Amino acid sequence: MKHLLSPLDLSVNELNDLLDLADRIAADPKKFSKCCEGKKLATLFYEPSTRTRLSFEAAMLNLGGSVLGFSSADSSSAAKGESVSDTIRVISCYADICAMRHPKEGAPMVAASKSGIPVINAGDGGHQHPTQTLTDLMTIRALKGRLSNLTIGLCGDLKFGRTVHSLIESLARYTGIRFVLISPPELRVPDYIREDVLDEKHMEYKEVETLEEVMPELDILYMTRVQRERFFNEEDYVRMKDFYILDKAKMALAREDMLVLHPLPRVNEISVEVDDDPRAAYFKQAQYGVYVRMALILTLLEVETC
Ligand code: NCD
């Protein structure tokens, strides 16, 4: 059985097939509206979410399947002390596939080892978020036409931002990728990303502290929120939360065809005045997230599509 726990669980070929399927779905979603009739998706969310949980549910409903689940640890038996391993053994009797978000890094891996159904990691602590990466890759491929030969700026909380870790790991498999890592010193990428991915694969990258100095060289700017819930104290969060604010003046320094992505939710890091800029792609990105999750469910359930 296949799970999606890390973005590297799919080979580059499998990933390209999945993105091709997502493009076919985007072109004609109705054609796929009965593919999962009789199938159930369980969403096991131990941490808050809007987009990820609802886009998974929308994806399964669009495929003609149904959904069940919980949206906070308080409303599940975790509140009574049940382990993730026990919960997944039970959910395996109720559903055909599940998406799990958990504040503890590695929880979906533990679940997968005891599961009778495919487990999708929908975000584990500050570690990984592979389905956001599928969304990001689909967006870049659709709007830029390629996943290679790109200079990608990642800005904000690169330490705790799990979407950043998964995106770097995935893009590092393509050729001609250059990373520009923009963060305050305290929020730089973790050592395992720098050593095991960037250095190990001899990636071209640099670490800078201001957005202005690098805006003109970027093909993509991936903005992120400072991850308040992962900070040990409120004081540090308050000091760093408004370190970067993308506004019209900074957008004026960028290329005409640079894309702005953001996994959302946004707090202050992108001023609303940027929303109308044709280069702002973050709401389109959310739409692609539904198509790519439809493609993922079909792939993991091994549903034949025409
Ligand atoms: C991200 C997450 O949960 O890591 N959100 C999402 O899934 N779209 C980013 C974030 O919360 O900042």
Side-chain angles (χ1 to χ4, degrees):
M1 189 194 331
K2 268 225 156 214
H3 305 287
L4 183 73
L5 303 173
S6 138
L8 305 186
D9 287 347
L10 294 167
S11 68
V12 173
N13 283 341
E14 287 170 328
L15 180 62
N16 289 339
D17 287 348
L18 190 141
L19 294 177
D20 288 344
L21 175 58
D23 284 345
R24 278 166 46 216
I25 294 170
D28 189 2
K30 286 221 164 61
K31 202 165 135 201
F32 298 82
S33 64
K34 293 194 162 81
C35 289
C36 283
E37 268 181 355
K39 303 271 187 205
K40 291 194 240 27
L41 164 81
T43 49
L44 314 179
F45 276 60
Y46 296 83
E47 247 195 3
S49 167
T50 303
R51 259 150 305 275
T52 306
R53 185 171 61 83
L54 296 182
S55 66
F56 263 115
E57 297 193 357
M60 192 47 149
L61 295 172
N62 289 347
L63 292 167
S66 35
V67 296
L68 66 164
F70 53 83
S71 56
S72 75
D74 304 345
S75 62
S76 77
S77 280
K80 300 181 190 167
E82 187 174 52
S83 68
V84 160
S85 304
D86 282 2
T87 303
I88 196 68
R89 288 174 96 137
V90 173
I91 300 295
S92 299
C93 310
Y94 304 158
D96 302 282
I97 185 165
C98 87
M100 175 184 284
R101 167 169 292 188
H102 203 285
K104 279 211 188 106
E105 311 199 339
M109 294 73 179
V110 172
S113 70
K114 296 282 190 254
S115 178
I117 57 174
V119 175
I120 300 167
N121 177 3
D124 63 321
H127 187 216
Q128 296 281 347
H129 194 344
T131 65
Q132 180 62 47
T133 295
L134 297 179
T135 304
D136 303 339
L137 297 180
M138 182 180 183
T139 309
I140 297 171
R141 209 177 76 146
L143 302 180
K144 276 274 169 211
R146 62 183 194 277
L147 289 172
S148 48
N149 302 318
L150 292 166
T151 295
I152 297 154
L154 297 121
C155 176
D157 188 345
L158 311 186
K159 180 178 182 187
F160 297 115
R162 54 194 173 195
T163 64
V164 167
H165 308 155
S166 292
L167 185 58
I168 291 177
E169 282 203 353
S170 278
L171 281 172
R173 300 195 292 181
Y174 292 86
T175 53
I177 295 291
R178 211 179 133 242
F179 293 112
V180 179
L181 307 174
I182 310 146
S183 75
E186 297 94 324
L187 297 181
R188 285 195 189 139
V189 290
D191 288 343
Y192 83 91
I193 293 287
R194 188 176 301 101
E195 286 158 20
D196 302 348
V197 186
L198 298 169
D199 294 341
E200 175 76 22
K201 297 191 146 228
H202 307 291
M203 300 302 296
E204 198 184 331
Y205 76 97
K206 64 178 173 182
E207 295 184 282
V208 299
E209 280 179 42
T210 74
L211 253 177
E212 288 86 339
E213 67 188 287
V214 293
M215 280 306 269
E217 60 191 272
L218 305 179
D219 295 306
I220 312 256
L221 172 58
Y222 193 90
M223 294 295 294
T224 63
R225 163 181 81 86
V226 176
Q227 307 279 299
R228 178 182 208 158
E229 64 276 35
R230 316 236 183 266
F231 274 69
F232 295 111
N233 67 68
E234 183 71 8
E235 218 174 277
D236 284 348
Y237 169 72
V238 170
R239 191 163 48 81
M240 282 182 271
K241 73 182 172 67
D242 293 330
F243 215 90
Y244 301 104
I245 298 181
L246 182 65
D247 56 13
K248 274 193 171 164
K250 291 195 189 77
M251 287 299 285
L253 305 171
R255 291 187 189 155
E256 292 271 300
D257 62 349
M258 187 195 76
L259 288 182
V260 183
L261 268 60
H262 191 309
L264 302 177
R266 135 179 76 186
V267 187
N268 285 330
E269 59 280 355
I270 303 181
S271 162
V272 288
E273 68 185 22
V274 177
D275 294 359
D276 296 331
D277 189 304
R279 295 168 290 184
Y282 29 93
F283 290 114
K284 273 189 211 146
Q285 198 180 345
Q287 174 66 68
Y288 288 128
V290 178
Y291 299 136
V292 93
R293 288 183 174 95
M294 289 169 75
L296 178 65
I297 292 169
L298 291 171
T299 304
L300 294 180
L301 287 178
E302 298 179 352
V303 176
E304 290 290 326
T305 56
C306 42

